[in-house]
Amino acid sequence: MERPRHQGMAKNTYMRWRLPLVCLLWEVAMVVLFGVFVRFSPEADAHWEEEKREMNLTSDIENDFYFRYPSFQDVHVMIFVGFGFLMTFLKRYGFGAVGFNFLLAAFGIQWALLMQGWFHSFKSGKILIGVENLINADFCVGSVCIAFGAILGKTSPIQLLVMTLFQVTLFAVNEYILLNLLHVKDAGGSMTIHTFGAYFGLTVTRILYRPNLEQSKDKQGSVYHSDLFAMIGTLYLWMYWPSFNSAISDHGDAQHRAAINTYCSLAACVLTTMAFSSMLQKKGKLDMVHIQNATLAGGVAVGTSAEMMLTPYGSLIVGFICGIVSTVGYVYLTPFLESRLHIQDTCGIHNLHAMPGLIGGIVGAVTAAAATEDVYGKEGFIKVFDFTGTYQTRTPSVQGGFQAAGIVVSLLMAFAGGAIVGAILKLPVWGDAAAENCFEDDIYWEVPEDEESDVYHMHNPDKPASP
Amino acid sequence: MERPRHQGMAKNTYMRWRLPLVCLLWEVAMVVLFGVFVRFSPEADAHWEEEKREMNLTSDIENDFYFRYPSFQDVHVMIFVGFGFLMTFLKRYGFGAVGFNFLLAAFGIQWALLMQGWFHSFKSGKILIGVENLINADFCVGSVCIAFGAILGKTSPIQLLVMTLFQVTLFAVNEYILLNLLHVKDAGGSMTIHTFGAYFGLTVTRILYRPNLEQSKDKQGSVYHSDLFAMIGTLYLWMYWPSFNSAISDHGDAQHRAAINTYCSLAACVLTTMAFSSMLQKKGKLDMVHIQNATLAGGVAVGTSAEMMLTPYGSLIVGFICGIVSTVGYVYLTPFLESRLHIQDTCGIHNLHAMPGLIGGIVGAVTAAAATEDVYGKEGFIKVFDFTGTYQTRTPSVQGGFQAAGIVVSLLMAFAGGAIVGAILKLPVWGDAAAENCFEDDIYWEVPEDEESDVYHMHNPDKPASP
Amino acid sequence: MERPRHQGMAKNTYMRWRLPLVCLLWEVAMVVLFGVFVRFSPEADAHWEEEKREMNLTSDIENDFYFRYPSFQDVHVMIFVGFGFLMTFLKRYGFGAVGFNFLLAAFGIQWALLMQGWFHSFKSGKILIGVENLINADFCVGSVCIAFGAILGKTSPIQLLVMTLFQVTLFAVNEYILLNLLHVKDAGGSMTIHTFGAYFGLTVTRILYRPNLEQSKDKQGSVYHSDLFAMIGTLYLWMYWPSFNSAISDHGDAQHRAAINTYCSLAACVLTTMAFSSMLQKKGKLDMVHIQNATLAGGVAVGTSAEMMLTPYGSLIVGFICGIVSTVGYVYLTPFLESRLHIQDTCGIHNLHAMPGLIGGIVGAVTAAAATEDVYGKEGFIKVFDFTGTYQTRTPSVQGGFQAAGIVVSLLMAFAGGAIVGAILKLPVWGDAAAENCFEDDIYWEVPEDEESDVYHMHNPDKPASP
């Protein structure tokens, strides 16, 4: 095979002025915009005592904080530890995985508070934020973390910040179209977070296609302990997913039901993932890539329907299918996408988020279309689908149609948005690394000396002490 | 010493068809059984609005979800991250520890929802599940994770799935005998989870005795970073144990008290563990095995009594004693059990769960027998021990007797069940590894290349890029 | 450079009798003192049913447990996993970091329950504890974990236990002066926890100055995976800090607001940390030390003001500044303090806790002084600053003055206390290691064989099995 020409030396990955400039510029913008727009919601404002009287509440425990804060913290862990550590599987990109995820998420939540706030919490010229806004900001950033998975190891931190800026904006627009214009239900974000985030990321990575990426192939794998670090991410995502899908559902039965459905779906997903991981491998051995990722597909795929009366056994079926679809995707589809469609998907988000997200959208549409007053109760039926006001005459089958439209809109937004943002990220000013330096922390991070040589030094008593 | 004959090559550990078959078969069974039996409890059902009116509740915050969901999530973390990572201490069995624990727990919670549901939540032909059922399912699986600790590294994933199926069944039967027939209190499971789970696992490992296990002795130890991974498990178990022991206690003071008692017991346990770890070692150095395990014994040993008026200082005493008992167990008893009784207990569950579980049962019996209306208050006395209906004439000392009977029943169930299940697992069809391949992930997992050689390659610029 | 004379062999680090003695002695003292003094608060006592009637509460959900337990668990994780793993960055001191932190915190919380109990929860001769006491005990121990960061790697476990005993005592006295005598607000502990803890630790490390510490310089760095372990600590501290700052605030809006302010401050802090980490390095690369630490400064610095009407944009500004101050501190101040003032600050707590703590105190004083009835509402104004009883005539500006006095008192207590405790720890009886053995687990821990040699053995098929 002919060795591709090295381009590495030519690329300028020097961050010293560019990265600080972008970080500071954007943080200053946040400060100014927050100063102009963001205030506390009545439940977080010191005027709460008066508010409580007006709302006729007798106890502080009725503050939304106590309904949602534990779920918020679980979601927070999923975004920062879950996604961050899930991506540490690469042998030499752990700092980038967990560090850049930290950076983009910390910026993203601020920008999301503003963008989502303008659409959903804007009153008398101010965005009034409470715990539900924090959850929604984390959700929005979740879609950026997903897209990050596709381009992991191949982009500079500046590119990630630029992508976050645009993706959060587009997310908020798409979410507004779905939730407000189409009146679609999507509490766990199968469409708004996973479908949108994943196809957005896949489009971006397609446009940033690197023909010579095999130059860094030796760094695309894992080592023993990096796979264990990644399992920390996997397990926190898996365990807390019931909180994710129930975090912004209605108080009471809806949160309760969403958690149970998600728990069931995820449990089933683990077994079919293990089954197919072993079955699709000649030696019959389990593959950590599948265990780390495909076990989570069940959570993605009940994101829309978890708060509906999907029922525990419906959830098991969804999880069952998604474990299979996702694992098969890793084995057959990811190589195909890379070789034929030039989609280089580092973490396989197509298998973990894109396909299960689509399934989740469809399951949601079907579950909504199948809803009856008998199953939900007269009041429950209205409450779950919010068939009030303008929507009080909407029927389940119409709702199912709108749900399906939500999938299409999310896909279109993802493709169009991803194409534009991908083109922007292709500009040669953002400091991305050459193909041979991909998946290597050393480009953007101070990396400590090797363990190997350290161990050597420590066991060499003749080594003179450093001065 | 005469070298034992190698048996490795003769054993068939090929999983390709067996593991998928078992996983898929059992998951299909779950789907069918859930379809027939499992529905939402009224608090998770969309009819909740009507239910609320009937129960005369004024606020959604009265939904059991808000009383128990945070504790549920903590318990969930203990089962999957706590037990999973605690067992990653072995240098080359991290994938198996965390991965097989994931597999068996994900299956076990589904089967436990059914088994426990038939006994405790069966109404008009349906099992109605809510958040308390999820916690109980996690609890039940906890006992399987404990048993897994005894056979860690010596069994195939199929054996673990078979064991889970039987152990969950027996757990549910034992739990029914204790809680319903004997009317025993055991909210934190000293008897039902720890005593039962540990002696079950020890009996299984006794029957699966491997005479040539010293062939894999070089893999039975830890390395520096595997000990740190294990500490993640230890700390999550330690921190969240107050949630474990309080998760299914009565609302209000009982949950509150159970958390405080457990917090106190665990704190004391750390100090005596450290003391004896140093004292029992000639060089006076601390041993990570003790710190990782014996520090948790205090949580096990207040499992029965934590919701009673054990009092903070009673809890300190229990923790004090258990840190000592458990550490001494690791130093003297584990080697004795292995050499004399042929009980090969990989994680030392005898010291962490069996003995502290027995102590917990006894402490519970004594605390119950010592209860007075003076200490508990007239109403509290009735509420804590549920002395209502058939049991309204039961006295504390009689309750203490029944508590003690609960220990004996749990032990008998563990020995009998463990013997039967051990015999089943001994059948030569489950694909367990030869003695020389124990404690080695390579048998059942795709293991990445060594870090060492990777590092070497990365620093060798002359190495041609992989094609 | 002249090689300093080795002192290592002369130092007696043998722990076998000293460590067990201290651990057991102190734990026995705890048992006795708890027996004499500690009982359950009414909300955790079995008499709760009667209490509920007296307090006119209609539901168990009004029990303080449900207001604070989720926050308590988050704080608990911060103390044990957060601080513990944050300090595992050293290549060969991971056991000591996470293990000694575990030891001192487990002892400290017991002693803190007593000390704080005598000051704040003492009724009719008994300390009545509930979930808020557990949080406060964890808070108190947080200040010890901070001080531990300064002396990490240079002290014996006995020294740490001695320091914990004294520091907890002084913490409780200082806290009493601030909260009760000066009537200062400090719910998140910028002054009581961070300023006090950090300057206490810095004074101790100054007094324990080791002139020959460069002998262990090769062990003061990190390795690749130890930096990832440290990131676990960082992220859990970062994610749960909103719980920390809101855990003991008033029910309702105050907890809600404190969480939001902290969330905002921390998010801003990440961006300026990244900016300055890159900017201050010639090669423009990011430094894990900064990411692991300076990103948290924003949480420290809103500790006093988070429950006030700091507003989200005020929080962003605080976080913005602290990311810069803290990162600049790591680059310029830490080396200066070490070379000029002989303050050897292993973890750089001066940058993470001392300076941001001072800023936090000042921000709190200014925010309090700027408070108006317009912003807080008539009732909110009184409630947030507790301007009732003796304090009902106190004005915001006077409150601001007292807040400022709280900073000064905390500093004085830290310097005086640190000096005394440092002098005690300097006594040659506590078994600390020689300079050349600092930052090395091997002195106090059984350390497993190297990974390197293990790997070697495993790949050497000719190696005979261990007998």
Side-chain angles (χ1 to χ4, degrees), chain C residues 157-186:
Chain C
I158 299 176
Q159 284 179 306
L160 295 173
L161 284 169
V162 171
M163 184 178 85
T164 305
L165 181 72
F166 286 105
Q167 193 179 348
V168 166
T169 310
L170 291 164
F171 178 97
V173 172
N174 184 53
E175 188 187 44
Y176 179 75
I177 296 172
L178 265 67
L179 303 190
N180 294 52
L181 304 187
L182 301 178
H183 194 70
V184 149
K185 304 300 286 182
D186 195 19

Coordinates of all heavy atoms in Angstrom, one line a residue, chain C residues 157-186:
Chain C
P157 N -0.6 8.7 58.3 CA -2.0 8.7 58.6 C -2.3 9.2 60.1 O -3.3 9.7 60.4 CB -2.4 7.2 58.4 CG -1.1 6.5 58.3 CD -0.1 7.4 57.8
I158 N -1.4 8.9 61.0 CA -1.6 9.4 62.4 C -1.6 10.9 62.4 O -2.4 11.5 63.1 CB -0.5 8.9 63.3 CG1 -0.5 7.3 63.3 CG2 -0.6 9.4 64.7 CD1 0.6 6.7 64.1
Q159 N -0.7 11.5 61.7 CA -0.7 13.0 61.6 C -2.0 13.5 61.1 O -2.6 14.5 61.6 CB 0.4 13.5 60.7 CG 1.8 13.4 61.4 CD 2.9 13.9 60.4 OE1 3.0 13.4 59.3 NE2 3.7 14.9 60.9
L160 N -2.6 12.8 60.1 CA -3.8 13.2 59.6 C -5.0 13.1 60.6 O -5.8 14.0 60.7 CB -4.1 12.4 58.3 CG -3.2 12.7 57.1 CD1 -3.5 11.7 56.0 CD2 -3.3 14.1 56.7
L161 N -4.9 12.0 61.4 CA -6.0 11.9 62.4 C -5.8 12.9 63.5 O -6.8 13.4 64.0 CB -5.9 10.5 63.0 CG -6.5 9.4 62.1 CD1 -6.1 8.0 62.6 CD2 -8.0 9.5 61.9
V162 N -4.6 13.2 63.9 CA -4.4 14.3 64.9 C -4.9 15.6 64.3 O -5.6 16.4 65.0 CB -2.9 14.3 65.3 CG1 -2.6 15.5 66.1 CG2 -2.5 13.1 66.0
M163 N -4.5 15.9 63.1 CA -4.9 17.2 62.5 C -6.5 17.2 62.4 O -7.1 18.3 62.7 CB -4.3 17.3 61.1 CG -4.7 18.7 60.5 SD -3.9 18.9 58.8 CE -5.2 18.1 57.8
T164 N -7.1 16.1 62.0 CA -8.6 16.1 61.9 C -9.2 16.4 63.3 O -10.1 17.2 63.4 CB -9.0 14.7 61.4 OG1 -8.4 14.4 60.2 CG2 -10.5 14.7 61.2
L165 N -8.7 15.8 64.3 CA -9.2 16.1 65.7 C -9.2 17.5 66.0 O -10.2 18.1 66.4 CB -8.4 15.3 66.7 CG -8.8 15.4 68.1 CD1 -10.1 14.7 68.4 CD2 -7.8 14.9 69.1
F166 N -8.1 18.2 65.8 CA -8.0 19.6 66.1 C -8.7 20.5 65.2 O -9.4 21.4 65.5 CB -6.5 20.0 66.2 CG -5.8 19.5 67.4 CD1 -4.9 18.4 67.3 CD2 -6.0 20.1 68.6 CE1 -4.3 18.0 68.5 CE2 -5.4 19.6 69.8 CZ -4.5 18.5 69.7
Q167 N -8.6 20.2 63.9 CA -9.2 21.1 62.9 C -10.7 21.1 63.0 O -11.4 22.1 62.9 CB -8.8 20.7 61.5 CG -9.1 21.8 60.5 CD -8.7 21.5 59.1 OE1 -7.9 20.6 58.8 NE2 -9.2 22.3 58.1
V168 N -11.3 19.9 63.2 CA -12.8 19.8 63.4 C -13.2 20.7 64.6 O -14.2 21.4 64.6 CB -13.2 18.4 63.5 CG1 -14.7 18.3 64.1 CG2 -13.1 17.6 62.2
T169 N -12.4 20.6 65.7 CA -12.7 21.3 66.9 C -12.7 22.8 66.6 O -13.6 23.6 66.9 CB -11.7 21.0 68.0 OG1 -11.6 19.6 68.1 CG2 -12.1 21.6 69.3
L170 N -11.6 23.3 65.9 CA -11.5 24.7 65.6 C -12.5 25.1 64.6 O -13.1 26.2 64.7 CB -10.1 25.0 65.1 CG -9.0 24.8 66.1 CD1 -7.6 24.7 65.4 CD2 -9.0 26.0 67.0
F171 N -12.8 24.3 63.7 CA -13.9 24.6 62.7 C -15.2 24.9 63.4 O -15.9 25.9 63.1 CB -14.1 23.4 61.8 CG -15.2 23.6 60.7 CD1 -14.9 24.0 59.5 CD2 -16.5 23.4 61.1 CE1 -15.9 24.2 58.5 CE2 -17.5 23.6 60.1 CZ -17.2 24.0 58.9
A172 N -15.5 24.0 64.4 CA -16.8 24.2 65.1 C -16.8 25.5 65.9 O -17.8 26.2 65.9 CB -17.1 23.0 66.0
V173 N -15.7 25.8 66.5 CA -15.6 27.1 67.2 C -15.8 28.3 66.3 O -16.6 29.2 66.5 CB -14.3 27.2 68.0 CG1 -14.1 28.6 68.6 CG2 -14.2 26.1 69.0
N174 N -15.0 28.3 65.2 CA -15.1 29.3 64.2 C -16.5 29.5 63.6 O -17.0 30.6 63.5 CB -14.1 29.1 63.1 CG -14.0 30.2 62.1 OD1 -13.8 31.3 62.5 ND2 -14.2 29.9 60.8
E175 N -17.1 28.4 63.3 CA -18.4 28.4 62.8 C -19.4 29.0 63.8 O -20.3 29.8 63.4 CB -18.8 26.9 62.4 CG -20.1 26.8 61.7 CD -20.5 25.3 61.5 OE1 -20.4 24.6 62.5 OE2 -21.0 24.9 60.4
Y176 N -19.2 28.6 65.0 CA -20.1 29.2 66.1 C -20.0 30.7 66.2 O -20.9 31.4 66.2 CB -19.8 28.5 67.4 CG -20.6 29.1 68.5 CD1 -22.0 28.7 68.7 CD2 -20.1 29.9 69.5 CE1 -22.8 29.2 69.7 CE2 -20.9 30.5 70.5 CZ -22.2 30.1 70.6 OH -23.0 30.6 71.6
I177 N -18.7 31.1 66.1 CA -18.5 32.6 66.2 C -19.2 33.3 65.0 O -19.9 34.3 65.2 CB -17.0 32.9 66.2 CG1 -16.3 32.3 67.4 CG2 -16.7 34.4 66.1 CD1 -14.8 32.4 67.4
L178 N -19.0 32.7 63.8 CA -19.5 33.4 62.6 C -21.1 33.3 62.6 O -21.7 34.4 62.5 CB -19.0 32.7 61.4 CG -17.8 33.5 60.7 CD1 -16.6 33.3 61.7 CD2 -17.5 33.0 59.4
L179 N -21.6 32.1 62.7 CA -23.0 32.0 62.5 C -23.8 32.5 63.7 O -24.9 33.1 63.6 CB -23.4 30.5 62.3 CG -22.7 29.8 61.1 CD1 -23.3 28.5 60.8 CD2 -22.8 30.7 59.8
N180 N -23.4 32.3 64.9 CA -24.2 32.6 66.1 C -23.8 34.0 66.7 O -24.7 34.8 67.0 CB -24.0 31.5 67.2 CG -24.7 30.2 66.7 OD1 -24.3 29.7 65.7 ND2 -25.6 29.7 67.5
L181 N -22.5 34.3 66.8 CA -22.1 35.5 67.4 C -22.2 36.7 66.5 O -22.7 37.7 66.7 CB -20.7 35.4 68.1 CG -20.6 34.3 69.1 CD1 -19.2 34.3 69.8 CD2 -21.7 34.3 70.1
L182 N -21.6 36.5 65.3 CA -21.6 37.6 64.3 C -22.9 37.5 63.4 O -23.2 38.5 62.7 CB -20.4 37.4 63.4 CG -19.1 37.5 64.0 CD1 -18.0 37.3 63.0 CD2 -18.9 38.8 64.8
H183 N -23.7 36.4 63.6 CA -24.9 36.3 62.8 C -24.6 36.5 61.3 O -25.3 37.3 60.6 CB -26.0 37.3 63.2 CG -27.4 37.0 62.7 ND1 -28.1 35.9 63.1 CD2 -28.2 37.6 61.8 CE1 -29.2 35.8 62.5 NE2 -29.3 36.8 61.7
V184 N -23.6 35.8 60.8 CA -23.2 35.9 59.4 C -23.9 34.8 58.6 O -24.2 33.7 59.2 CB -21.7 35.7 59.4 CG1 -21.2 35.1 58.2 CG2 -21.0 37.1 59.6
K185 N -24.2 35.0 57.4 CA -24.7 34.0 56.5 C -23.6 33.3 55.7 O -22.7 34.0 55.1 CB -25.7 34.5 55.5 CG -26.9 35.3 56.1 CD -27.7 34.5 57.0 CE -28.6 33.5 56.2 NZ -29.5 32.7 57.1
D186 N -23.5 32.0 55.7 CA -22.4 31.3 55.0 C -22.8 29.9 54.6 O -22.1 28.9 55.0 CB -21.1 31.4 55.8 CG -19.9 31.0 54.9 OD1 -20.0 31.1 53.7 OD2 -18.9 30.7 55.5

